[in-house]
């Protein structure tokens, strides 16, 4: 049974840490964190020290608060003139937040208001504090994805070694301040704060679930949005950038509602390959006569199984688009790191500026701070994989206000802008 005296002492310690964080008192924090964690949480508010350090910067006069739109950052003051006192307060907050991250604070813990520390910084218009949270998220996610790649190199025969490895990773996760373990999905469930144990969003489960096809959307067996008509603007813009002319060779991975494939068809491609894995979608592809369209080849199966055969045959494309569902970011990364090189014609054939690769950029899009974190990560990974990427910005309408999410398990898109990537080989 818990010792009540110990519980009271632990709570006092938590309150002292939160107070020192809110007061930006680094001297006190240094002392308190010697034998305590930077990830304590207030029972009532769910505040961590990071939440407290950022939330205490809220101006007393609410009219001085900005609403944190993507370009709406000021210093939390509506007037151009930031007082000396305010400047000092914000400088102290920056130092405190940096100190907490150095001491292992987790960047994406949620408070009872469903906000991460970065969400609060954004809501209050505190750009520098927001950027610190984004950078901490990038560091944490990069480290974890590297660890993910490092694990299989261990001696898989030894259970003891595996246990040690997982313990090591858990410790590093604590240290680096993250808990989502590279679980962000780049699909319509694109979640930055991973809901662990949601098996409906795993690829194999999804592929065996029954889909519902409405006029303007596809839902899976758990009412997750697989594809929705509001994405048509994004699909059209992507298709235009990838296939600027007619008579080109295009590969699309993930048919969904066939929106982008329909737009590709308008460009009368010479070859139009489609890879699709879900039997219900394949049935509709067949019924709609796609197999008979000139130049179209439909490959039935998961891209993981189909792509090696295409490479073996030496098929080359002027443009490739990738938009699957219920796959983690590492699947997308694997696709562009290992497979695009064998499929995309660097000369671009008839595509004057060289072959182009595009994908649905939806990682972490259920929360602005996560979207910003994953956009930085994907940009770095694309560069490392040898791509030059141009991002164009597309405005997203008020999906909530337009009732788009009614009947959908969770809204997978929150940001008011979409960063549309177009990639070509460097050099
Ligand atoms: C978001 S939808 C694609 C929407 C499409 N871009 C459009 O314009 O309508 C994702 C599609 O990828 C398919 N898919 C999911 N996992 C796949 C995999 N591993 N290989 C191939 N297709 C997959 C799904 O069945 C679904 O049809």
């Amino acid at each position: 049974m818990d010792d009540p005296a110990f519980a009271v002492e632990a709570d006092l310690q938590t309150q002292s840490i939160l107070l020192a964080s809110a007061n930006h008192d680094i001297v006190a924090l240094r002392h308190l964190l010697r034998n305590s964690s930077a990830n304590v949480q207030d029972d009532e508010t769910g505040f961590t020290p990071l939440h407290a350090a950022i939330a205490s910067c809220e101006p007393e006069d609410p009219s001085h608060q900005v609403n944190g739109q993507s370009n709406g950052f000021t210093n939390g003051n509506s007037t151009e003139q930031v007082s000396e006192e305010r400047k000092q307060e914000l400088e102290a907050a920056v130092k405190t937040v940096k100190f907490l991250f150095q001491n292992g604070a987790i960047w994406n813990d949620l408070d009872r208001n469903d906000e991460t520390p970065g969400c609060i910084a954004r809501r209050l218009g505190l750009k520098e504090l927001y950027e610190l949270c984004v950078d901490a998220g990038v560091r944490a996610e990069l480290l974890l994805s590297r660890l993910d790649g490092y694990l299989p190199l261990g001696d898989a025969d030894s259970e003891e070694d595996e246990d040690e490895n997982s313990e090591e990773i858990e410790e590093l996760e604590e240290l680096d301040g993250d808990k989502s373990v590279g679980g962000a999905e780049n699909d319509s469930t694109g979640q930055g704060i991973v809901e662990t144990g949601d098996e409906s969003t795993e690829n194999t489960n999804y592929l065996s679930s029954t889909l519902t096809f409405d006029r303007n959307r596809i839902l899976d067996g758990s009412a997750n949005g697989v594809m929705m008509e509001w994405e048509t603007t994004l699909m059209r813009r992507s298709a235009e950038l990838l296939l600027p002319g007619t008579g080109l060779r295009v590969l699309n991975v993930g048919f969904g509602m066939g929106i982008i494939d329909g737009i590709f068809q308008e460009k009368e491609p010479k070859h139009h390959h489609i890879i699709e894995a879900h039997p219900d979608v394949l049935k509709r592809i067949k019924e709609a006569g796609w197999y008979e369209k000139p130049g179209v080849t439909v490959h039935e199966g998961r891209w993981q199984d189909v792509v090696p055969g295409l490479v073996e045959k030496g098929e080359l494309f002027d443009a490739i688009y990738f938009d699957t569902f219920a796959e983690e970011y590492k699947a997308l990364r694997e696709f562009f790191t290992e497979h695009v090189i064998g499929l995309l014609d660097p000369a671009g054939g008839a595509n004057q500026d060289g072959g182009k690769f595009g994908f649905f950029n939806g990682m972490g899009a259920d929360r602005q701070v996560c979207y910003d974190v994953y956009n930085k990560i994907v940009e770095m990974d694309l560069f490392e994989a040898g791509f030059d990427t141009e991002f164009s910005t597309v405005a997203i309408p008020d999906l909530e206000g337009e009732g788009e999410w009614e009947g959908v398990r969770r809204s997978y898109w929150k940001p008011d802008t979409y960063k549309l990537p177009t990639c070509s080989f460097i050099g």
Side-chain angles (χ1 to χ4, degrees):
M1 202 177 150
D2 287 345
D3 177 352
F6 177 76
V8 170
E9 199 180 310
D11 190 46
L12 272 175
Q13 179 83 347
T14 299
Q15 295 311 322
S16 307
I17 294 172
L18 292 174
L19 187 66
S21 303
N23 289 337
H24 308 141
D25 183 347
I26 294 182
V27 176
L29 269 179
R30 184 169 284 128
H31 177 72
L32 287 161
L33 293 184
R34 254 184 220 144
N35 51 10
S36 199
S37 155
N39 293 308
V40 291
Q41 220 164 352
D42 181 56
D43 282 345
E44 209 173 297
T45 61
F47 267 24
T48 65
L50 281 174
H51 288 92
I54 296 172
S56 69
C57 297
E58 181 163 11
E60 274 166 29
D61 176 356
S63 68
H64 279 178
Q65 189 179 309
V66 292
N67 63 8
Q69 285 167 350
S70 27
N71 56 0
F73 284 111
T74 66
N75 269 331
N77 281 41
S78 59
T79 50
E80 284 293 308
Q81 291 274 315
V82 180
S83 74
E84 197 49 43
E85 196 187 339
R86 178 69 173 159
K87 268 190 200 156
Q88 281 173 11
E89 185 191 7
L90 293 175
E91 270 169 29
V94 165
K95 282 187 188 148
T96 308
V97 167
K98 282 184 182 168
F99 180 78
L100 289 168
F101 279 132
Q102 282 157 8
N103 281 273
I106 291 175
W107 72 279
N108 58 356
D109 258 334
L110 293 173
D111 65 14
R112 300 274 175 270
N113 203 22
D114 195 39
E115 287 187 309
T116 67
C119 300
I120 299 183
R122 188 166 182 276
R123 175 167 55 76
L124 300 179
L126 304 166
K127 189 171 190 330
E128 197 173 351
L129 292 174
Y130 181 76
E131 291 301 336
L132 286 178
C133 294
V134 171
D135 290 346
V138 172
R139 282 195 303 275
E141 293 300 312
L142 281 180
L143 177 68
L144 291 165
S145 72
R146 296 294 180 267
L147 286 172
D148 207 24
Y150 154 86
L151 247 195
L153 296 177
D155 178 7
D157 293 340
S158 153
E159 277 184 23
E160 222 173 81
D161 279 0
E162 269 182 32
D163 286 351
E164 274 173 24
N165 272 342
S166 357
E167 268 173 35
E168 235 171 72
I169 288 199
E170 270 168 31
E171 275 169 27
L172 273 160
E173 281 166 20
E174 284 274 312
L175 258 183
D176 202 65
D178 185 87
K179 57 182 181 180
S180 68
V181 200
E185 305 204 357
N186 184 46
D187 55 37
S188 307
T189 61
Q191 46 206 47
I193 309 287
V194 172
E195 284 168 23
T196 46
D198 185 356
E199 289 177 1
S200 72
T201 58
E202 281 174 20
N203 199 246
T204 42
N205 291 344
Y206 157 71
L207 291 175
S208 57
S209 83
T210 304
L211 304 184
T212 311
F213 295 81
D214 287 342
R215 186 188 49 81
N216 61 352
R217 64 192 185 189
I218 303 176
L219 302 181
D220 73 3
S222 308
N224 291 302
V226 177
M227 183 63 187
M228 296 175 81
E229 199 180 34
W230 67 262
E231 292 180 39
T232 302
T233 325
L234 309 179
M235 296 301 137
R236 181 160 290 284
R237 187 86 191 103
S238 297
E240 272 158 12
L241 289 166
L242 293 174
L243 276 195
T246 53
L248 299 173
R249 300 159 296 172
V250 63
L251 166 66
N252 179 41
V253 183
F255 182 83
M257 292 170 73
I259 298 175
I260 202 160
D261 285 298
I263 302 167
F264 284 148
Q265 274 295 295
E266 290 169 14
K267 312 242 171 200
E268 297 166 3
K270 187 169 153 204
H271 298 300
H272 181 172
H273 288 236
I274 298 165
I275 305 178
E276 173 55 50
H278 200 293
D280 294 357
V281 179
L282 284 164
K283 189 163 167 266
R284 290 178 78 95
I285 294 180
K286 207 162 273 169
E287 284 165 2
W290 278 88
Y291 283 76
E292 287 80 47
K293 288 190 197 272
V296 169
T297 311
V298 178
H299 302 273
E300 302 186 0
R302 298 180 76 223
W303 64 263
Q304 290 86 342
D305 302 323
V306 173
V307 164
L310 290 177
V311 175
E312 211 173 282
K313 273 197 194 156
E315 295 279 4
L316 279 181
F317 300 93
D318 304 307
I320 300 175
Y321 190 69
F322 183 98
D323 178 11
T324 63
F325 180 78
E327 294 204 290
E328 287 187 358
Y329 168 58
K330 59 183 176 191
L332 166 67
R333 192 179 58 211
E334 181 193 323
F335 184 78
F336 68 67
T337 307
E338 288 169 33
H339 302 289
V340 173
I341 183 95
L343 294 168
L344 191 64
D345 188 344
N351 202 346
Q352 299 283 307
D353 332 314
K356 299 258 186 298
F357 165 62
F359 58 93
F360 179 71
N361 187 15
M363 276 169 305
D366 60 350
R367 192 177 289 272
Q368 184 71 52
V369 65
C370 297
Y371 194 55
D372 290 342
V373 166
Y374 290 115
N375 265 297
K376 285 197 174 186
I377 289 172
V378 80
E379 199 173 342
M380 284 186 232
D381 284 342
L382 284 164
F383 184 74
E384 208 172 289
F387 292 103
D388 202 355
T389 307
E390 277 185 30
F391 286 96
S392 25
T393 304
V394 183
I396 302 289
D398 174 13
L399 301 170
E400 191 78 56
E402 291 175 7
E404 286 286 349
W405 306 118
E406 275 162 33
V408 183
R409 181 167 172 169
R410 51 188 290 282
S411 59
Y412 60 79
W413 194 275
K414 286 279 162 57
D416 46 20
T417 53
Y418 174 81
K419 287 188 80 183
L420 191 152
T422 313
C423 320
S424 43
F425 290 123
I426 293 171

